[in-house]
Amino acid sequence: MLARHRFTNCYRAADRVSQALITDVIYQGPQDWEDVFFRTLLFKIFNKESTWRLLNRELGEVRWDSYTFDAYDRVLSAAFTRGERLYSAAYIVPPPQLGEGRKHRNHLRLLEMMMTSGAPERVAGSSTMREAYEVLLGYPALGPFLAYQFTIDLNYAPQLTFSEMDFVVPGPGARDGIRKCFGPAADGIEAEVIHYMAASQDEHFARLGLSFNGLRGRPLQLIDCQNLFCEVDKYARVAHPDIAGISGRSRIKQAYRQEAAPVRAWFPPKWGLNA
């Protein structure tokens, strides 16, 4: 099954797309917070490396102070017309209804709205991860799952110092995975289950006789445990189709394709994990 279907790394930050975000987007280019925020959310809305490379190739350095809706729309619309995929299939970013006829145009308007209404400043001024999450949650089309995922992405930047052990929002896949592990009794307490898993991981690795040194010594964080339950759900859809989740999904939508390029392993310097 692992040879046929795509699964994520147990550490979210070690995934190929997260590595691209960290190394090519957040820590490349101007390091003022406004630009980092703009680049991060622009990349994550599409969540596709080829779209990011296209924008940089056609527009030069991606910066908020040189952004215009018409220029970005022209590049993306031309690619759409050529039949190029602009979005990753990893998860769906629903388009807000902001008056434009195409999905990517409404997403550009959403990003404009965030930049001009003080979202970067309010996120940076938040005292907790939950508070930063609630800033993003207040914008159209950003439901709880996406607002949390985008908060985690922004927190890779040097300007934010939230602990990944502070706060978690279980996504639909994680809720399905928890249901498959623990049954209906876990409904409604998924966040508590994830907290327990992260807090007790060493105890259970020892109980099972498993040697697990983490990510260069970094234990699994809440976001990683959230992801692991999502991957359990995906695996169980095929390996244990008789065990039902909540959503009723029954197949893994993405097939595995081997890529020759190695996955980098470079993490936010503030974590102290890089050689």
Side-chain angles (χ1 to χ4, degrees):
M1 186 185 298
L2 294 177
R4 297 196 309 271
H5 302 290
R6 182 182 296 181
F7 294 89
T8 68
N9 194 290
C10 62
Y11 280 92
R12 181 185 190 270
D15 267 342
R16 186 179 295 274
V17 175
S18 292
Q19 281 291 297
L21 170 68
I22 294 166
T23 60
D24 298 337
V25 180
I26 293 177
Y27 287 90
Q28 290 290 327
Q31 289 300 294
D32 60 286
W33 173 238
E34 187 176 61
D35 269 319
V36 171
F37 184 100
F38 174 70
R39 292 198 306 269
T40 300
L41 290 195
L42 177 65
F43 177 87
K44 287 302 296 183
I45 283 171
F46 297 96
N47 206 36
K48 196 168 181 65
E49 293 176 70
S50 59
T51 301
W52 176 254
R53 291 194 297 267
L54 170 71
L55 290 170
N56 279 271
R57 185 173 66 248
E58 297 296 325
L59 298 170
E61 189 174 58
V62 170
R63 301 183 57 135
W64 170 241
D65 61 8
S66 62
Y67 165 87
T68 67
F69 176 86
D70 288 342
Y72 280 61
D73 174 46
R74 183 171 60 253
V75 172
L76 294 172
S77 290
F80 178 83
T81 300
R82 292 193 298 269
E84 297 179 18
R85 290 181 58 183
L86 301 179
Y87 293 87
S88 165
Y91 53 78
I92 304 300
V93 182
Q97 300 304 308
L98 296 176
E100 298 293 341
R102 284 187 179 170
K103 181 178 179 179
H104 74 264
R105 290 174 178 164
N106 279 302
H107 278 140
L108 291 176
R109 293 299 187 197
L110 172 62
L111 187 53
E112 286 180 356
M113 177 189 294
M114 298 175 80
M115 296 300 298
T116 58
S117 63
E121 296 82 1
R122 287 186 289 142
V123 167
S126 297
S127 57
T128 64
M129 180 180 284
R130 181 186 289 272
E131 186 179 334
Y133 155 82
E134 288 174 350
V135 171
L136 300 184
L137 188 61
Y139 286 91
L142 296 188
F145 175 73
L146 284 178
Y148 175 63
Q149 295 293 319
F150 289 175
T151 303
I152 292 293
D153 292 316
L154 290 167
N155 195 46
Y156 293 146
Q159 290 87 352
L160 301 184
T161 57
F162 306 126
S163 168
E164 289 189 341
M165 292 296 289
D166 283 351
F167 173 63
V168 68
V169 175
R175 292 198 300 272
D176 273 351
I178 290 170
R179 164 69 78 92
K180 291 177 180 181
C181 288
F182 302 108
D187 291 358
I189 59 167
E190 291 90 351
E192 288 84 350
V193 171
I194 293 170
H195 274 277
Y196 172 77
M197 178 180 175
S200 63
Q201 59 186 284
D202 289 341
E203 171 191 344
H204 291 292
F205 286 134
R207 176 179 62 82
L208 296 168
L210 298 175
S211 177
F212 183 76
N213 296 321
L215 182 66
R216 298 174 181 170
R218 180 180 173 88
L220 293 165
Q221 305 290 295
L222 295 177
I223 180 62
D224 304 315
C225 295
Q226 195 275 161
N227 271 20
L228 285 169
F229 278 119
C230 184
E231 300 310 289
V232 166
D233 167 55
K234 284 163 57 178
Y235 187 91
R237 290 178 210 169
V238 176
H240 307 290
D242 54 311
I243 301 177
I246 299 170
S247 67
R249 288 178 291 188
S250 59
R251 64 183 183 88
I252 303 175
K253 62 183 178 181
Q254 293 200 68
Y256 172 72
R257 296 189 307 276
Q258 184 174 357
E259 295 189 30
V263 177
R264 289 160 291 190
W266 191 85
F267 302 97
K270 60 188 175 183
W271 291 0
L273 303 182
N274 300 318

